[in-house]
Amino acid sequence: MGRKQQKNQNQLEMAFMAELRGEAPEVVMEGSELPMAEKQAESPASQEKLMERVCQRENLLKALKRVKQNKGSPGIDKMSVTELTEYLKEKWPKIREELLKGKYKPQAIKQVEIPKARGGKRQLGIPTVVDRFIQQAILQVLQNLWEPTFSKDSYGFRPGKSAHQAIAQAQRYVREGYDYVVDTDIEKFFDRVNHDLLMERIARKVKDKRLLKLIRAYLTAGVLEGGLVSPRGEGTPQGGPLSPLLSNILLDELDKELERRGHRYVRYADDCNIYVKTQRAGERVMESVKNYLSHNLKLKVNESKSSVGKSCDQKFLGYSFTRDRRRNHQISPEAIKRFRARVRKLTHRARGVSVLQMVKELTVYLRGWKNYFSLCETQKLKELDIWVRKRLRCVIWKQWKTARNRYQNLLHLGVSEKEAALTAVSGKGSWTMAQHPIVQKFLTIGYFDSLGLVRLWDNATA
């Protein structure tokens, strides 16, 4: 590195440290109005100096902001996101020097388990917040290299792309007459990624050996479980910022092959559906895709979770589809089943929490669920909305417990003495009483609105 470039790097380093301290000085580098990393990006030689772009001031500040926004659990060092800035004020110069010399070594990741929607457990690998910060800075640089070349039918973990867009595209294929779906489920994809295959594809664009070495170090970082660190020989651990992009880099090979064959498909991360016109064509495509994944990407299709069938019988990202243009997307039966199970858990009387606390927790879940399934038919949202309030009325009736308490609470809600007395002494079960005209009349939508409960269906009246 020349003397002028070294001076510019030192100025950028000082600027980043000043930003951490809240000083934010102006940075002017000799002989240029642009940051050095931006100038390098215009040169072919810049592909051999990507680590400098990773460590560039604006990139680091953006990465720091994103890591703070994402929050997340501490890694094995137990450092929280809120402690990251203070830590970097002291340690960043040394970390940066190690990165630029290709000597930085990531810490082991913490393994945790979370339940899968279809049952079973999913393994997550949680890097330390420092490593999440560095991974995010790498991600932002690599994303600029790969994003323009990715397929338009790949929607997962990409800027400007969403699950809703993937669902809408799938619906378009169905309405165009592609009634059969080849639903391919890759067996334990994130645990089975071949490191050598992935690194070979990354090296096609990344010529900076320091960065290649660091990416492989993140792939092979040990896993801390039960007090012992176990090495990793394959897989890209879920839980770090880099993992989604790395998965897209590898599966872009599949995208390009499907495009070469002229298939209509939609892929969201490792969930890929291919749309064809007949059962026979679907079975032929399924077999060829299985062979391609096995021979070219060293991946295996999960036979028990993959299938070929009519679009109306299949599901994609929680939705099912129809060719009827008069109907919106439908929520899959499995998604509804999971929804009811989650609401039952949150509104279980044995939880021992107040209705106000219950509503607060329930609202967080309902708001996210409503946003995700906003494309579906309103009739189903209406039914579920009514059912949620019945669950809460049932909880309230149980918590009132005695006839005396029920009588007093009904009076407080504005029920007449006669109606309150007759309703309070009813021997019917709590679920039946949740649908009682008096209970519904006075435990109204407005009442639950006042508690902060979000509505799934905005025009609800019951």
Side-chain angles (χ1 to χ4, degrees), residues 192-219:
R192 299 284 172 82
V193 169
N194 184 286
H195 289 172
D196 291 336
L197 280 176
L198 176 57
M199 290 306 303
E200 187 272 330
R201 281 149 180 80
I202 294 172
R204 293 175 186 176
K205 291 188 178 182
V206 175
K207 306 303 179 185
D208 190 322
K209 293 182 180 180
R210 298 165 299 175
L211 187 53
L212 290 172
K213 180 182 176 182
L214 182 56
I215 293 172
R216 185 177 279 276
Y218 276 122
L219 289 173

PDB file of all heavy atoms in Angstrom, residues 192-219:
ATOM      1  N   ARG A 192     -25.847 -29.021   5.635  1.00  0.00           N
ATOM      2  CA  ARG A 192     -25.173 -29.926   4.700  1.00  0.00           C
ATOM      3  C   ARG A 192     -24.409 -29.219   3.583  1.00  0.00           C
ATOM      4  O   ARG A 192     -23.889 -29.887   2.683  1.00  0.00           O
ATOM      5  CB  ARG A 192     -26.215 -30.866   4.084  1.00  0.00           C
ATOM      6  CG  ARG A 192     -26.938 -31.746   5.103  1.00  0.00           C
ATOM      7  CD  ARG A 192     -26.063 -32.896   5.569  1.00  0.00           C
ATOM      8  NE  ARG A 192     -26.661 -33.633   6.677  1.00  0.00           N
ATOM      9  CZ  ARG A 192     -27.586 -34.569   6.533  1.00  0.00           C
ATOM     10  NH1 ARG A 192     -28.023 -34.868   5.320  1.00  0.00           N
ATOM     11  NH2 ARG A 192     -28.063 -35.198   7.579  1.00  0.00           N
ATOM     12  N   VAL A 193     -24.367 -27.908   3.598  1.00  0.00           N
ATOM     13  CA  VAL A 193     -23.646 -27.186   2.537  1.00  0.00           C
ATOM     14  C   VAL A 193     -22.188 -27.621   2.491  1.00  0.00           C
ATOM     15  O   VAL A 193     -21.497 -27.626   3.514  1.00  0.00           O
ATOM     16  CB  VAL A 193     -23.743 -25.656   2.759  1.00  0.00           C
ATOM     17  CG1 VAL A 193     -22.783 -24.920   1.832  1.00  0.00           C
ATOM     18  CG2 VAL A 193     -25.166 -25.176   2.526  1.00  0.00           C
ATOM     19  N   ASN A 194     -21.728 -27.992   1.304  1.00  0.00           N
ATOM     20  CA  ASN A 194     -20.338 -28.409   1.115  1.00  0.00           C
ATOM     21  C   ASN A 194     -19.440 -27.172   1.051  1.00  0.00           C
ATOM     22  O   ASN A 194     -19.596 -26.319   0.186  1.00  0.00           O
ATOM     23  CB  ASN A 194     -20.224 -29.225  -0.182  1.00  0.00           C
ATOM     24  CG  ASN A 194     -18.832 -29.768  -0.398  1.00  0.00           C
ATOM     25  OD1 ASN A 194     -17.913 -29.026  -0.742  1.00  0.00           O
ATOM     26  ND2 ASN A 194     -18.669 -31.066  -0.205  1.00  0.00           N
ATOM     27  N   HIS A 195     -18.496 -27.076   1.977  1.00  0.00           N
ATOM     28  CA  HIS A 195     -17.654 -25.884   2.078  1.00  0.00           C
ATOM     29  C   HIS A 195     -16.803 -25.668   0.835  1.00  0.00           C
ATOM     30  O   HIS A 195     -16.643 -24.532   0.360  1.00  0.00           O
ATOM     31  CB  HIS A 195     -16.750 -25.977   3.314  1.00  0.00           C
ATOM     32  CG  HIS A 195     -17.502 -25.834   4.598  1.00  0.00           C
ATOM     33  ND1 HIS A 195     -16.923 -26.050   5.829  1.00  0.00           N
ATOM     34  CD2 HIS A 195     -18.792 -25.499   4.847  1.00  0.00           C
ATOM     35  CE1 HIS A 195     -17.815 -25.848   6.781  1.00  0.00           C
ATOM     36  NE2 HIS A 195     -18.967 -25.526   6.210  1.00  0.00           N
ATOM     37  N   ASP A 196     -16.241 -26.730   0.301  1.00  0.00           N
ATOM     38  CA  ASP A 196     -15.363 -26.585  -0.863  1.00  0.00           C
ATOM     39  C   ASP A 196     -16.135 -26.084  -2.081  1.00  0.00           C
ATOM     40  O   ASP A 196     -15.652 -25.219  -2.818  1.00  0.00           O
ATOM     41  CB  ASP A 196     -14.680 -27.913  -1.184  1.00  0.00           C
ATOM     42  CG  ASP A 196     -13.660 -28.316  -0.128  1.00  0.00           C
ATOM     43  OD1 ASP A 196     -13.155 -27.415   0.569  1.00  0.00           O
ATOM     44  OD2 ASP A 196     -13.373 -29.526   0.017  1.00  0.00           O
ATOM     45  N   LEU A 197     -17.332 -26.636  -2.294  1.00  0.00           N
ATOM     46  CA  LEU A 197     -18.168 -26.184  -3.417  1.00  0.00           C
ATOM     47  C   LEU A 197     -18.529 -24.713  -3.258  1.00  0.00           C
ATOM     48  O   LEU A 197     -18.462 -23.930  -4.214  1.00  0.00           O
ATOM     49  CB  LEU A 197     -19.443 -27.021  -3.500  1.00  0.00           C
ATOM     50  CG  LEU A 197     -19.349 -28.392  -4.161  1.00  0.00           C
ATOM     51  CD1 LEU A 197     -20.685 -29.103  -4.068  1.00  0.00           C
ATOM     52  CD2 LEU A 197     -18.924 -28.259  -5.615  1.00  0.00           C
ATOM     53  N   LEU A 198     -18.925 -24.343  -2.050  1.00  0.00           N
ATOM     54  CA  LEU A 198     -19.324 -22.962  -1.803  1.00  0.00           C
ATOM     55  C   LEU A 198     -18.141 -22.007  -1.981  1.00  0.00           C
ATOM     56  O   LEU A 198     -18.263 -20.968  -2.649  1.00  0.00           O
ATOM     57  CB  LEU A 198     -19.899 -22.824  -0.393  1.00  0.00           C
ATOM     58  CG  LEU A 198     -20.283 -21.418   0.056  1.00  0.00           C
ATOM     59  CD1 LEU A 198     -21.302 -20.787  -0.900  1.00  0.00           C
ATOM     60  CD2 LEU A 198     -20.840 -21.440   1.480  1.00  0.00           C
ATOM     61  N   MET A 199     -17.000 -22.345  -1.416  1.00  0.00           N
ATOM     62  CA  MET A 199     -15.836 -21.465  -1.517  1.00  0.00           C
ATOM     63  C   MET A 199     -15.357 -21.335  -2.958  1.00  0.00           C
ATOM     64  O   MET A 199     -14.894 -20.268  -3.375  1.00  0.00           O
ATOM     65  CB  MET A 199     -14.705 -21.990  -0.632  1.00  0.00           C
ATOM     66  CG  MET A 199     -14.957 -21.869   0.870  1.00  0.00           C
ATOM     67  SD  MET A 199     -15.384 -20.187   1.414  1.00  0.00           S
ATOM     68  CE  MET A 199     -13.965 -19.255   0.844  1.00  0.00           C
ATOM     69  N   GLU A 200     -15.474 -22.406  -3.749  1.00  0.00           N
ATOM     70  CA  GLU A 200     -15.074 -22.333  -5.153  1.00  0.00           C
ATOM     71  C   GLU A 200     -15.939 -21.320  -5.895  1.00  0.00           C
ATOM     72  O   GLU A 200     -15.444 -20.556  -6.731  1.00  0.00           O
ATOM     73  CB  GLU A 200     -15.196 -23.714  -5.798  1.00  0.00           C
ATOM     74  CG  GLU A 200     -14.663 -23.799  -7.209  1.00  0.00           C
ATOM     75  CD  GLU A 200     -15.704 -23.431  -8.261  1.00  0.00           C
ATOM     76  OE1 GLU A 200     -16.908 -23.665  -8.019  1.00  0.00           O
ATOM     77  OE2 GLU A 200     -15.314 -22.900  -9.323  1.00  0.00           O
ATOM     78  N   ARG A 201     -17.229 -21.277  -5.575  1.00  0.00           N
ATOM     79  CA  ARG A 201     -18.126 -20.327  -6.236  1.00  0.00           C
ATOM     80  C   ARG A 201     -17.897 -18.897  -5.747  1.00  0.00           C
ATOM     81  O   ARG A 201     -17.988 -17.950  -6.517  1.00  0.00           O
ATOM     82  CB  ARG A 201     -19.574 -20.763  -6.026  1.00  0.00           C
ATOM     83  CG  ARG A 201     -19.962 -21.905  -6.976  1.00  0.00           C
ATOM     84  CD  ARG A 201     -20.998 -22.848  -6.377  1.00  0.00           C
ATOM     85  NE  ARG A 201     -21.315 -23.906  -7.339  1.00  0.00           N
ATOM     86  CZ  ARG A 201     -20.556 -24.978  -7.551  1.00  0.00           C
ATOM     87  NH1 ARG A 201     -19.419 -25.121  -6.885  1.00  0.00           N
ATOM     88  NH2 ARG A 201     -20.923 -25.909  -8.421  1.00  0.00           N
ATOM     89  N   ILE A 202     -17.577 -18.746  -4.482  1.00  0.00           N
ATOM     90  CA  ILE A 202     -17.265 -17.411  -3.970  1.00  0.00           C
ATOM     91  C   ILE A 202     -15.980 -16.884  -4.612  1.00  0.00           C
ATOM     92  O   ILE A 202     -15.884 -15.707  -4.976  1.00  0.00           O
ATOM     93  CB  ILE A 202     -17.132 -17.445  -2.435  1.00  0.00           C
ATOM     94  CG1 ILE A 202     -18.475 -17.786  -1.789  1.00  0.00           C
ATOM     95  CG2 ILE A 202     -16.623 -16.103  -1.901  1.00  0.00           C
ATOM     96  CD1 ILE A 202     -18.410 -18.021  -0.301  1.00  0.00           C
ATOM     97  N   ALA A 203     -14.999 -17.765  -4.781  1.00  0.00           N
ATOM     98  CA  ALA A 203     -13.703 -17.360  -5.329  1.00  0.00           C
ATOM     99  C   ALA A 203     -13.779 -16.938  -6.794  1.00  0.00           C
ATOM    100  O   ALA A 203     -12.842 -16.328  -7.305  1.00  0.00           O
ATOM    101  CB  ALA A 203     -12.696 -18.508  -5.179  1.00  0.00           C
ATOM    102  N   ARG A 204     -14.887 -17.230  -7.458  1.00  0.00           N
ATOM    103  CA  ARG A 204     -15.042 -16.786  -8.844  1.00  0.00           C
ATOM    104  C   ARG A 204     -15.105 -15.254  -8.932  1.00  0.00           C
ATOM    105  O   ARG A 204     -14.727 -14.669  -9.937  1.00  0.00           O
ATOM    106  CB  ARG A 204     -16.310 -17.380  -9.455  1.00  0.00           C
ATOM    107  CG  ARG A 204     -16.264 -18.898  -9.635  1.00  0.00           C
ATOM    108  CD  ARG A 204     -17.599 -19.424 -10.130  1.00  0.00           C
ATOM    109  NE  ARG A 204     -17.609 -20.888 -10.178  1.00  0.00           N
ATOM    110  CZ  ARG A 204     -18.687 -21.601 -10.510  1.00  0.00           C
ATOM    111  NH1 ARG A 204     -19.811 -20.987 -10.824  1.00  0.00           N
ATOM    112  NH2 ARG A 204     -18.627 -22.925 -10.526  1.00  0.00           N
ATOM    113  N   LYS A 205     -15.598 -14.630  -7.851  1.00  0.00           N
ATOM    114  CA  LYS A 205     -15.703 -13.167  -7.856  1.00  0.00           C
ATOM    115  C   LYS A 205     -14.796 -12.503  -6.835  1.00  0.00           C
ATOM    116  O   LYS A 205     -14.404 -11.354  -7.007  1.00  0.00           O
ATOM    117  CB  LYS A 205     -17.156 -12.751  -7.591  1.00  0.00           C
ATOM    118  CG  LYS A 205     -18.106 -13.092  -8.725  1.00  0.00           C
ATOM    119  CD  LYS A 205     -19.484 -12.480  -8.490  1.00  0.00           C
ATOM    120  CE  LYS A 205     -20.411 -12.798  -9.651  1.00  0.00           C
ATOM    121  NZ  LYS A 205     -21.746 -12.173  -9.489  1.00  0.00           N
ATOM    122  N   VAL A 206     -14.506 -13.192  -5.760  1.00  0.00           N
ATOM    123  CA  VAL A 206     -13.673 -12.619  -4.697  1.00  0.00           C
ATOM    124  C   VAL A 206     -12.236 -13.089  -4.893  1.00  0.00           C
ATOM    125  O   VAL A 206     -11.949 -14.288  -4.810  1.00  0.00           O
ATOM    126  CB  VAL A 206     -14.180 -13.043  -3.306  1.00  0.00           C
ATOM    127  CG1 VAL A 206     -13.229 -12.550  -2.211  1.00  0.00           C
ATOM    128  CG2 VAL A 206     -15.593 -12.513  -3.067  1.00  0.00           C
ATOM    129  N   LYS A 207     -11.341 -12.154  -5.170  1.00  0.00           N
ATOM    130  CA  LYS A 207      -9.931 -12.476  -5.389  1.00  0.00           C
ATOM    131  C   LYS A 207      -9.056 -12.115  -4.188  1.00  0.00           C
ATOM    132  O   LYS A 207      -7.862 -12.390  -4.190  1.00  0.00           O
ATOM    133  CB  LYS A 207      -9.408 -11.747  -6.633  1.00  0.00           C
ATOM    134  CG  LYS A 207     -10.225 -11.998  -7.888  1.00  0.00           C
ATOM    135  CD  LYS A 207     -10.332 -13.478  -8.222  1.00  0.00           C
ATOM    136  CE  LYS A 207     -11.180 -13.710  -9.466  1.00  0.00           C
ATOM    137  NZ  LYS A 207     -11.378 -15.159  -9.735  1.00  0.00           N
ATOM    138  N   ASP A 208      -9.661 -11.483  -3.181  1.00  0.00           N
ATOM    139  CA  ASP A 208      -8.925 -11.098  -1.981  1.00  0.00           C
ATOM    140  C   ASP A 208      -8.751 -12.333  -1.098  1.00  0.00           C
ATOM    141  O   ASP A 208      -9.721 -12.823  -0.513  1.00  0.00           O
ATOM    142  CB  ASP A 208      -9.684  -9.993  -1.237  1.00  0.00           C
ATOM    143  CG  ASP A 208      -8.879  -9.374  -0.119  1.00  0.00           C
ATOM    144  OD1 ASP A 208      -8.144 -10.115   0.566  1.00  0.00           O
ATOM    145  OD2 ASP A 208      -8.987  -8.150   0.081  1.00  0.00           O
ATOM    146  N   LYS A 209      -7.531 -12.844  -1.005  1.00  0.00           N
ATOM    147  CA  LYS A 209      -7.291 -14.076  -0.268  1.00  0.00           C
ATOM    148  C   LYS A 209      -7.576 -13.923   1.222  1.00  0.00           C
ATOM    149  O   LYS A 209      -7.944 -14.890   1.898  1.00  0.00           O
ATOM    150  CB  LYS A 209      -5.841 -14.533  -0.490  1.00  0.00           C
ATOM    151  CG  LYS A 209      -5.563 -14.962  -1.931  1.00  0.00           C
ATOM    152  CD  LYS A 209      -4.140 -15.452  -2.101  1.00  0.00           C
ATOM    153  CE  LYS A 209      -3.892 -15.879  -3.542  1.00  0.00           C
ATOM    154  NZ  LYS A 209      -2.496 -16.368  -3.752  1.00  0.00           N
ATOM    155  N   ARG A 210      -7.386 -12.710   1.739  1.00  0.00           N
ATOM    156  CA  ARG A 210      -7.690 -12.480   3.156  1.00  0.00           C
ATOM    157  C   ARG A 210      -9.170 -12.682   3.434  1.00  0.00           C
ATOM    158  O   ARG A 210      -9.567 -13.285   4.438  1.00  0.00           O
ATOM    159  CB  ARG A 210      -7.281 -11.059   3.553  1.00  0.00           C
ATOM    160  CG  ARG A 210      -5.802 -10.752   3.417  1.00  0.00           C
ATOM    161  CD  ARG A 210      -5.564  -9.254   3.475  1.00  0.00           C
ATOM    162  NE  ARG A 210      -6.262  -8.553   2.386  1.00  0.00           N
ATOM    163  CZ  ARG A 210      -6.309  -7.231   2.254  1.00  0.00           C
ATOM    164  NH1 ARG A 210      -5.694  -6.459   3.151  1.00  0.00           N
ATOM    165  NH2 ARG A 210      -6.945  -6.687   1.240  1.00  0.00           N
ATOM    166  N   LEU A 211     -10.001 -12.189   2.521  1.00  0.00           N
ATOM    167  CA  LEU A 211     -11.445 -12.295   2.703  1.00  0.00           C
ATOM    168  C   LEU A 211     -11.912 -13.738   2.511  1.00  0.00           C
ATOM    169  O   LEU A 211     -12.768 -14.226   3.249  1.00  0.00           O
ATOM    170  CB  LEU A 211     -12.168 -11.361   1.729  1.00  0.00           C
ATOM    171  CG  LEU A 211     -13.693 -11.227   1.914  1.00  0.00           C
ATOM    172  CD1 LEU A 211     -14.036 -10.869   3.348  1.00  0.00           C
ATOM    173  CD2 LEU A 211     -14.247 -10.175   0.955  1.00  0.00           C
ATOM    174  N   LEU A 212     -11.345 -14.427   1.537  1.00  0.00           N
ATOM    175  CA  LEU A 212     -11.686 -15.832   1.330  1.00  0.00           C
ATOM    176  C   LEU A 212     -11.332 -16.659   2.569  1.00  0.00           C
ATOM    177  O   LEU A 212     -12.110 -17.517   3.005  1.00  0.00           O
ATOM    178  CB  LEU A 212     -10.949 -16.380   0.109  1.00  0.00           C
ATOM    179  CG  LEU A 212     -11.406 -15.860  -1.253  1.00  0.00           C
ATOM    180  CD1 LEU A 212     -10.451 -16.336  -2.348  1.00  0.00           C
ATOM    181  CD2 LEU A 212     -12.829 -16.307  -1.560  1.00  0.00           C
ATOM    182  N   LYS A 213     -10.163 -16.377   3.125  1.00  0.00           N
ATOM    183  CA  LYS A 213      -9.733 -17.087   4.325  1.00  0.00           C
ATOM    184  C   LYS A 213     -10.684 -16.827   5.490  1.00  0.00           C
ATOM    185  O   LYS A 213     -11.034 -17.745   6.249  1.00  0.00           O
ATOM    186  CB  LYS A 213      -8.309 -16.651   4.696  1.00  0.00           C
ATOM    187  CG  LYS A 213      -7.744 -17.313   5.944  1.00  0.00           C
ATOM    188  CD  LYS A 213      -6.345 -16.775   6.246  1.00  0.00           C
ATOM    189  CE  LYS A 213      -5.803 -17.361   7.547  1.00  0.00           C
ATOM    190  NZ  LYS A 213      -4.461 -16.806   7.881  1.00  0.00           N
ATOM    191  N   LEU A 214     -11.149 -15.593   5.625  1.00  0.00           N
ATOM    192  CA  LEU A 214     -12.040 -15.232   6.721  1.00  0.00           C
ATOM    193  C   LEU A 214     -13.416 -15.874   6.550  1.00  0.00           C
ATOM    194  O   LEU A 214     -14.014 -16.355   7.519  1.00  0.00           O
ATOM    195  CB  LEU A 214     -12.170 -13.709   6.810  1.00  0.00           C
ATOM    196  CG  LEU A 214     -13.044 -13.165   7.945  1.00  0.00           C
ATOM    197  CD1 LEU A 214     -12.566 -13.677   9.302  1.00  0.00           C
ATOM    198  CD2 LEU A 214     -13.068 -11.640   7.924  1.00  0.00           C
ATOM    199  N   ILE A 215     -13.932 -15.888   5.331  1.00  0.00           N
ATOM    200  CA  ILE A 215     -15.237 -16.516   5.089  1.00  0.00           C
ATOM    201  C   ILE A 215     -15.186 -18.004   5.423  1.00  0.00           C
ATOM    202  O   ILE A 215     -16.087 -18.544   6.067  1.00  0.00           O
ATOM    203  CB  ILE A 215     -15.680 -16.301   3.626  1.00  0.00           C
ATOM    204  CG1 ILE A 215     -15.958 -14.820   3.374  1.00  0.00           C
ATOM    205  CG2 ILE A 215     -16.927 -17.122   3.322  1.00  0.00           C
ATOM    206  CD1 ILE A 215     -16.211 -14.480   1.916  1.00  0.00           C
ATOM    207  N   ARG A 216     -14.110 -18.665   4.999  1.00  0.00           N
ATOM    208  CA  ARG A 216     -13.981 -20.089   5.346  1.00  0.00           C
ATOM    209  C   ARG A 216     -13.857 -20.273   6.862  1.00  0.00           C
ATOM    210  O   ARG A 216     -14.399 -21.242   7.420  1.00  0.00           O
ATOM    211  CB  ARG A 216     -12.770 -20.715   4.649  1.00  0.00           C
ATOM    212  CG  ARG A 216     -12.664 -22.212   4.880  1.00  0.00           C
ATOM    213  CD  ARG A 216     -11.498 -22.830   4.134  1.00  0.00           C
ATOM    214  NE  ARG A 216     -11.793 -23.097   2.748  1.00  0.00           N
ATOM    215  CZ  ARG A 216     -12.406 -24.199   2.304  1.00  0.00           C
ATOM    216  NH1 ARG A 216     -12.830 -25.114   3.160  1.00  0.00           N
ATOM    217  NH2 ARG A 216     -12.594 -24.375   1.015  1.00  0.00           N
ATOM    218  N   ALA A 217     -13.182 -19.350   7.519  1.00  0.00           N
ATOM    219  CA  ALA A 217     -13.054 -19.438   8.979  1.00  0.00           C
ATOM    220  C   ALA A 217     -14.418 -19.331   9.649  1.00  0.00           C
ATOM    221  O   ALA A 217     -14.681 -20.001  10.656  1.00  0.00           O
ATOM    222  CB  ALA A 217     -12.121 -18.336   9.485  1.00  0.00           C
ATOM    223  N   TYR A 218     -15.294 -18.486   9.095  1.00  0.00           N
ATOM    224  CA  TYR A 218     -16.646 -18.395   9.645  1.00  0.00           C
ATOM    225  C   TYR A 218     -17.437 -19.675   9.391  1.00  0.00           C
ATOM    226  O   TYR A 218     -18.246 -20.093  10.223  1.00  0.00           O
ATOM    227  CB  TYR A 218     -17.383 -17.188   9.058  1.00  0.00           C
ATOM    228  CG  TYR A 218     -17.067 -15.898   9.785  1.00  0.00           C
ATOM    229  CD1 TYR A 218     -16.531 -14.801   9.112  1.00  0.00           C
ATOM    230  CD2 TYR A 218     -17.301 -15.785  11.149  1.00  0.00           C
ATOM    231  CE1 TYR A 218     -16.236 -13.622   9.783  1.00  0.00           C
ATOM    232  CE2 TYR A 218     -17.001 -14.607  11.829  1.00  0.00           C
ATOM    233  CZ  TYR A 218     -16.474 -13.530  11.137  1.00  0.00           C
ATOM    234  OH  TYR A 218     -16.181 -12.372  11.814  1.00  0.00           O
ATOM    235  N   LEU A 219     -17.212 -20.302   8.231  1.00  0.00           N
ATOM    236  CA  LEU A 219     -17.908 -21.554   7.926  1.00  0.00           C
ATOM    237  C   LEU A 219     -17.465 -22.686   8.849  1.00  0.00           C
ATOM    238  O   LEU A 219     -18.259 -23.543   9.229  1.00  0.00           O
ATOM    239  CB  LEU A 219     -17.651 -21.955   6.468  1.00  0.00           C
ATOM    240  CG  LEU A 219     -18.320 -21.110   5.389  1.00  0.00           C
ATOM    241  CD1 LEU A 219     -17.830 -21.531   4.011  1.00  0.00           C
ATOM    242  CD2 LEU A 219     -19.839 -21.225   5.460  1.00  0.00           C
TER     243      LEU A 219
END
